[in-house]
Amino acid sequence: MPTPNLFKRALKAGQPQIGLWSTLPSPYVSELVAGSGFDWLLLDTEHTPTDVPQMVQQLQGVAAAQVRAGCAPTQAVVRPAWNDKVLIKRYLDIGAQTLLLPFVQNADEARAAVDAVRYAPQGVRGMGGSMRASNFGRDSEYVAKAAHEICLLVQVETRDALVNLEEIASVEGVDGVFIGPADLSASLGYAGHSTHPDMTAIIDDALHRVRSCGKAPGILVTSPERVQSCLHQGALFVAVGMDMLLLRSGADALAARFKPSQINAGASASMY
């Protein structure tokens, strides 16, 4: 039997899931942050040097994490670099069960993503043999039941995708829609200003629109107040921080404490 996807089940039950965005391409880091007690951990390959072989190690790190007392095991969410059936196949074969696919523009692209995570005759996923996802061929039920435990999330992050939001969210097999704040703000003329009041209103409306289609809305925000606001607006999977940002902020603060004259006060602010 494929491993039960607790993240997918929680979204289906309408239970908000709090996550962390991870861009540091290291299984050591993956294991460390997976032990913190977040419901889910985004393992990124779109904007990181991570590739398929390294992602195997990161997934192993998450699985090996000793989670804080009282917390359920953190669920891994893998973001491939593109909505591509070959990449999707490779990440599923190494054991990823939840995928977040970037830059989905319309219903046809969403349907292509659904096809890519399902075996024939329902889809086009290639048949692998002794792969990690099927416990190296030991799980005789994997092929028949894998799709039930695969959670498919798609990203809406452009003006065109926003127009097509209901069509994308209504595609059967799409479990959730992530509103990409950085790229969406750039597409709408607010590059680097995803927290602009106009963008806040647009994102809130998008969260409502996804929820009204019966699917789970998601977002990445780093302000605690904004996190609560997004949850109030109906978001069901919310990343509340980023490992690289936590490390950068902590390191900068420590350096500023002991070497204040070395800090460039005019440095540009991050979009996160």
Side-chain angles (χ1 to χ4, degrees), residues 246-259:
L246 294 172
L247 178 60
R248 187 193 74 195
S249 299
D252 286 358
L254 187 61
R257 180 178 178 184
F258 293 102
K259 296 177 68 68

Side-chain angles (χ1 to χ4, degrees), residues 96-223:
Q97 286 190 303
T98 300
L99 298 180
L100 175 61
L101 300 179
F103 210 78
V104 172
Q105 296 285 82
N106 52 53
D108 286 341
E109 292 183 4
R111 280 189 285 268
V114 174
D115 287 344
V117 304
R118 294 178 174 178
Y119 290 118
Q122 290 77 27
V124 298
R125 179 183 175 186
M127 294 288 294
S130 300
M131 55 193 182
R132 182 173 184 265
S134 64
N135 192 19
F136 306 98
R138 298 185 183 99
D139 185 354
S140 60
E141 296 186 311
Y142 179 81
V143 171
K145 299 184 178 180
H148 298 295
E149 303 300 341
I150 292 172
C151 182
L152 179 62
L153 311 171
V154 298
Q155 287 186 214
V156 163
E157 48 190 338
T158 67
R159 183 187 297 273
D160 289 344
L162 194 63
V163 171
N164 298 324
L165 181 54
E166 281 79 8
E167 294 179 9
I168 293 170
S170 297
V171 170
E172 190 274 329
V174 169
D175 297 293
V177 178
F178 178 86
I179 308 301
D183 283 301
L184 182 59
S185 61
S187 179
L188 295 175
Y190 295 90
H193 299 283
S194 60
T195 59
H196 188 282
D198 291 349
M199 285 306 307
T200 297
I202 290 169
I203 290 172
D204 286 350
D205 180 64
L207 296 174
H208 283 288
R209 292 166 63 190
V210 174
R211 197 69 186 266
S212 69
C213 292
K215 301 298 174 69
I219 191 75
L220 163 64
V221 290
T222 57
S223 162

